[in-house]
Amino acid sequence: MRGRKLVFSLYHEASEQNGYGMKGAMDVKLVICTVIFAYCLAHGFARCSKYGQRSPKACGRTLTAYRGEVKSPGYPHAYPPAVRDVDRVCTWIIAVPEGRGVKITMPRYNLNYDSKEDQYDELQIFSDGACNDKVSSYLGNDTETTVIHVPTNMACVRFVRRASENIGHNGFTLSYEVISATGECGANQTVLLVTSDEGYIYSPGYPSSSYPQGLDCTWLIQTDPEQIITVTFLDFQLSYTTSCDYATDFVQIGNNNDTYDFKYCASNKPERFESSGNQVWLSFQTGRWTNKGFWLKYQTLGRPLAADPMNSGLSRSGGAAGTDNGLTGEAPSDAGKRTSSTGEQPKSRASKLQSPFLALSLMLFTLCFQYVYL
């Protein structure tokens, strides 16, 4: 009996000591879990803060598709002012194959003007990849649709932010499409046949150099029998003369090549021409003088334009249709791709990082408590 009491007493003492040990171990585990949780949470917020303060990337890129869009940062919301000097100029380069032109359509624009600092934001369009040959420049705002024509296969869209703040000005959005363009000359009584629904024709050398001497060029723009053709001269600069009757450099245009309807010379831009049938004849002759030349846009009317004008090409009379510079079918489109936003990018990255780190910290804290009470 006395032995049983001794064993029970020893067991009870050992149990109490073991209980105190388990309780101490649980306290240690709880402290460790709290430290881990605090570290994870602090590290997560530090990472978020770091990305929130990171300088944004400059906007702009190179576009090579047949169609695409360009938008100011943050559009349709108000665009942020440039924080760094490198962000003050956003440049988009449109680079397409040779033998093409670029038509840019801008439905509206709303640019900031800071009257206090006499600073204004500006949208510039250039007809070269180096952004040197300026076509047009836009300030303030306008709700009318603007169409900008670029005769070459390279165009530059530049957005300059000078104002230090911007409230309510959402910038601009524009779309571009590639259309046919030719500066070839049907010399030596050879007619250059043009069959695309829309495109540009310009004199040899335009716009980078003067046209050569002694040219005798003829173009025939032809479409389907139920359609007509309109011709609009966008630029016209021939050598000076007092009368077109004695001019050595001149352009003739008409419905047939036997008797042209109009003859133009010097720098008097021709009126818009509309054909009576499905053909337009164009002749360009030069003598011993030179100048910049001309540039025109033609377009067929009578039915909706083809979805992809790239499928039609140029060919010389008497031969098969010419090649399309190795381009067939529909090319990928840049439409819908978002440009980099100097105001929204850091915020979005921070929010993406904050949520996973917080969730991970809570998960670790839960696992720690499960480990403590197991």
Side-chain angles (χ1 to χ4, degrees), residues 74-212:
Y75 189 90
H77 306 291
Y79 58 86
V83 178
R84 306 174 302 174
D85 289 339
V86 70
D87 300 323
R88 293 191 178 278
V89 179
C90 302
T91 303
W92 293 266
I93 302 298
I94 302 173
V96 300
E98 292 285 346
R100 303 297 181 189
V102 180
K103 184 175 74 170
I104 299 173
T105 303
M106 183 167 57
R108 66 188 65 86
Y109 61 90
N110 185 5
L111 306 181
N112 184 38
Y113 174 74
D114 191 342
S115 57
K116 296 180 181 179
E117 300 181 7
D118 195 25
Q119 293 178 335
Y120 53 88
D121 298 337
E122 182 180 7
L123 176 63
Q124 304 168 343
I125 309 294
F126 301 84
S127 62
D128 64 316
C131 306
N132 291 325
D133 190 5
K134 185 183 292 185
V135 176
S136 55
S137 179
Y138 302 93
L139 304 171
N141 61 83
D142 194 352
T143 57
E144 297 293 331
T145 299
T146 304
V147 179
I148 305 116
H149 300 282
V150 179
T152 60
N153 65 318
M154 298 284 288
C156 170
V157 178
R158 176 179 286 174
F159 180 41
V160 183
R161 288 178 286 180
R162 301 184 179 94
S164 58
E165 61 180 18
N166 176 37
I167 300 176
H169 300 276
N170 62 350
F172 68 92
T173 177
L174 60 83
S175 61
Y176 77 89
E177 62 176 309
V178 179
I179 62 177
S180 298
T182 179
E184 297 182 14
C185 176
N188 300 322
Q189 305 301 318
T190 302
V191 177
L192 187 66
L193 180 63
V194 180
T195 59
S196 57
D197 290 330
E198 183 181 18
Y200 303 130
I201 295 177
Y202 47 87
S203 56
Y206 185 94
S208 57
S209 61
S210 300
Y211 52 78

Side-chain angles (χ1 to χ4, degrees), residues 160-336:
V160 183
R161 288 178 286 180
R162 301 184 179 94
S164 58
E165 61 180 18
N166 176 37
I167 300 176
H169 300 276
N170 62 350
F172 68 92
T173 177
L174 60 83
S175 61
Y176 77 89
E177 62 176 309
V178 179
I179 62 177
S180 298
T182 179
E184 297 182 14
C185 176
N188 300 322
Q189 305 301 318
T190 302
V191 177
L192 187 66
L193 180 63
V194 180
T195 59
S196 57
D197 290 330
E198 183 181 18
Y200 303 130
I201 295 177
Y202 47 87
S203 56
Y206 185 94
S208 57
S209 61
S210 300
Y211 52 78
Q213 300 174 347
L215 290 179
D216 186 3
C217 307
T218 304
W219 294 270
L220 172 59
I221 308 172
Q222 190 173 53
T223 186
D224 296 336
E226 69 274 12
Q227 292 184 294
I228 62 173
I229 304 167
T230 63
V231 175
T232 304
F233 283 84
L234 303 174
D235 193 11
F236 193 85
Q237 300 181 46
L238 305 188
S239 62
Y240 173 78
T241 183
T242 56
S243 173
C244 282
D245 294 334
Y246 304 100
T248 59
D249 302 350
F250 59 88
V251 169
Q252 296 183 101
I253 188 171
N255 291 281
N256 59 73
N257 61 338
D258 292 331
T259 55
Y260 286 95
D261 295 280
F262 300 99
K263 181 179 181 181
Y264 300 99
C265 62
S267 58
N268 299 319
K269 184 183 293 187
E271 298 291 333
R272 179 177 179 270
F273 179 81
E274 184 175 297
S275 68
S276 59
N278 67 325
Q279 291 185 346
V280 170
W281 288 83
L282 183 72
S283 173
F284 177 46
Q285 297 187 25
T286 66
R288 60 188 183 92
W289 306 108
T290 60
N291 208 325
K292 185 177 182 180
F294 70 89
W295 168 35
L296 63 82
K297 177 185 179 296
Y298 63 87
Q299 185 174 4
T300 60
L301 301 177
R303 65 176 174 84
L305 296 179
D308 186 5
M310 299 299 100
N311 294 331
S312 56
L314 304 173
S315 64
R316 297 189 180 278
S317 60
T323 60
D324 205 16
N325 293 328
L327 302 176
T328 58
E330 181 68 22
S333 175
D334 286 300

Side-chain angles (χ1 to χ4, degrees), residues 18-56:
N18 188 33
Y20 284 119
M22 290 179 61
K23 183 178 180 182
M26 290 179 62
D27 291 340
V28 172
K29 291 178 181 179
L30 183 61
V31 171
I32 293 174
C33 290
T34 304
V35 172
I36 292 175
F37 173 74
Y39 172 79
C40 292
L41 195 61
H43 185 66
F45 279 115
R47 291 285 299 273
C48 294
S49 178
K50 178 181 177 182
Y51 280 107
Q53 295 175 359
R54 177 173 294 180
S55 298

